[in-house]
């Protein structure tokens, strides 16, 4: 089954403790991205990747890092989480990026709470 | 900067009614518009994707229209069922701006279908 998977689905952590949220897709998609969803603000893009080893900032990148060493994986790294990063996080992918119009597929979400 | 607005923010209707959800966007320079469904605790499910050159798309009881020049889209749900209860999100993919291929989302319409 074609899908985007995220782990963990739920995470409660403390301020300053480094964490990684994994994202994997099995559709051989080139483009992957991360969004966060907050009440009243909607979904906002954090980082995106056009292909392996090609990443760039989205609208709200502060406090996050990403890497794209393999085509199927796009982990989101919080080096020193803070309470304002408490949010619902979504990973998304599409066949290609950059000037073409492909449907984007979303993962099930990761609910992160930072205390 | 692209902004997407969805009206109404919440809607509650009896089962069996036909209904229309509205989405408006401020910049007509888009590649496509996507309608998603979000269920509590779950990810985003893509319902319909309308390319910028298209006027409408249909899938089962759902019909989405796009008027790019006026910055409007509607999602029509025929013969609503309790299982249609969810939050419906509208997202556009701008042709310009930062976050290549990043979707700009509306805040959603929370729909409740009363049995």
């Amino acid at each position: 089954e074609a899908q985007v998977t995220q782990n963990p689905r739920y995470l409660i952590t403390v301020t300053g403790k480094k964490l990684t949220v994994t994202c994997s897709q099995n559709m051989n998609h080139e483009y992957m991205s991360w969004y966060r969803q907050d009440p009243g603000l909607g979904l906002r893009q954090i980082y995106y990747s056009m292909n392996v080893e090609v990443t760039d900032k989205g609208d709200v990148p502060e406090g996050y890092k990403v890497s794209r060493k393999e085509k199927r994986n796009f982990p989101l790294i919080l080096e020193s989480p803070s309470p304002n990063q408490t949010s619902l996080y979504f990973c998304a992918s599409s066949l290609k990026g950059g000037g073409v119009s492909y449907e984007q597929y979303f993962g099930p979400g990761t609910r992160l709470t930072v205390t | 900067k692209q902004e997407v607005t969805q009206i109404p923010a919440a809607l509650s209707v009896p089962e069996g009614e036909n209904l229309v959800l509205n989405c408006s966007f401020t910049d007509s320079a888009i590649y496509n518009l996507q309608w998603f469904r979000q269920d509590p605790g779950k990810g985003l499910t893509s319902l319909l994707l309308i390319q910028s050159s298209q006027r409408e798309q249909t899938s089962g009881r759902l019909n989405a229209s796009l008027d790019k020049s006026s910055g409007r889209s509607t999602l029509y749900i025929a013969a609503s069922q309790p299982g249609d209860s969810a939050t419906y999100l509208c997202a556009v993919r701008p042709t310009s701006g930062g976050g290549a291929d990043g979707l700009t989302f509306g805040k959603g319409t929370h729909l409740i279908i009363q049995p």
Side-chain angles (χ1 to χ4, degrees):
Chain A
E1 180 190 354
Q3 59 183 350
V4 179
T5 57
Q6 296 178 225
N7 283 292
R9 294 289 313 280
Y10 303 90
L11 179 59
I12 300 174
T13 190
V14 296
T15 299
K17 186 177 180 181
K18 181 179 178 180
L19 66 93
T20 299
V21 183
T22 65
C23 172
S24 183
Q25 50 88 9
N26 62 1
M27 296 171 278
N28 202 34
H29 284 174
E30 290 185 359
Y31 179 86
M32 298 184 74
S33 66
W34 278 100
Y35 292 83
R36 61 178 288 174
Q37 185 179 32
D38 302 289
L41 296 175
L43 282 102
R44 295 173 293 168
Q45 192 183 49
I46 304 170
Y47 266 95
Y48 66 95
S49 170
M50 300 287 273
N51 213 325
V52 176
E53 301 291 2
V54 182
T55 64
D56 208 344
K57 298 176 181 178
D59 296 322
V60 288
E62 294 77 22
Y64 304 95
K65 286 176 56 177
V66 293
S67 69
R68 186 91 181 271
K69 293 181 168 51
E70 304 166 283
K71 197 171 186 179
R72 64 182 295 129
N73 296 323
F74 189 45
L76 179 69
I77 303 158
L78 285 73
E79 295 270 3
S80 183
S82 63
N84 66 12
Q85 293 178 297
T86 293
S87 187
L88 179 59
Y89 291 87
F90 289 102
C91 180
S93 73
S94 67
L95 184 60
K96 288 184 181 292
V100 291
S101 184
Y102 290 101
E103 187 172 2
Q104 293 205 23
Y105 298 86
F106 281 74
T110 295
R111 185 165 293 282
L112 172 65
T113 302
V114 184
T115 62
Chain B
K1 186 178 178 206
Q2 178 75 264
E3 291 183 6
V4 178
T5 302
Q6 291 187 245
I7 295 173
L11 182 63
S12 180
V13 300
E15 179 178 5
E17 283 199 8
N18 303 323
L19 55 98
V20 174
L21 307 182
N22 295 293
C23 172
S24 62
F25 47 97
T26 55
D27 188 345
S28 62
I30 62 171
Y31 283 121
N32 60 44
L33 182 145
Q34 237 176 306
W35 281 94
F36 294 89
R37 168 185 174 139
Q38 184 175 18
D39 295 280
K42 296 187 179 180
L44 278 66
T45 302
S46 180
L47 298 173
L48 290 163
L49 171 71
I50 310 177
Q51 304 291 356
S52 62
S53 58
Q54 297 175 324
R55 297 284 291 184
E56 67 177 328
Q57 282 286 334
T58 298
S59 176
R61 294 182 294 108
L62 304 179
N63 176 277
S65 68
L66 173 64
D67 184 342
K68 198 174 75 162
S69 61
S70 68
R72 295 179 188 276
S73 176
T74 61
L75 179 66
Y76 176 82
I77 303 176
S80 59
Q81 303 169 358
D84 294 330
S85 297
T87 297
Y88 290 80
L89 295 166
C90 166
V92 298
R93 183 157 159 258
T95 60
S96 60
D101 300 296
L103 297 176
T104 300
F105 282 84
K107 293 184 173 57
T109 294
H110 182 56
L111 176 65
I112 297 175
I113 307 299
Q114 306 154 10

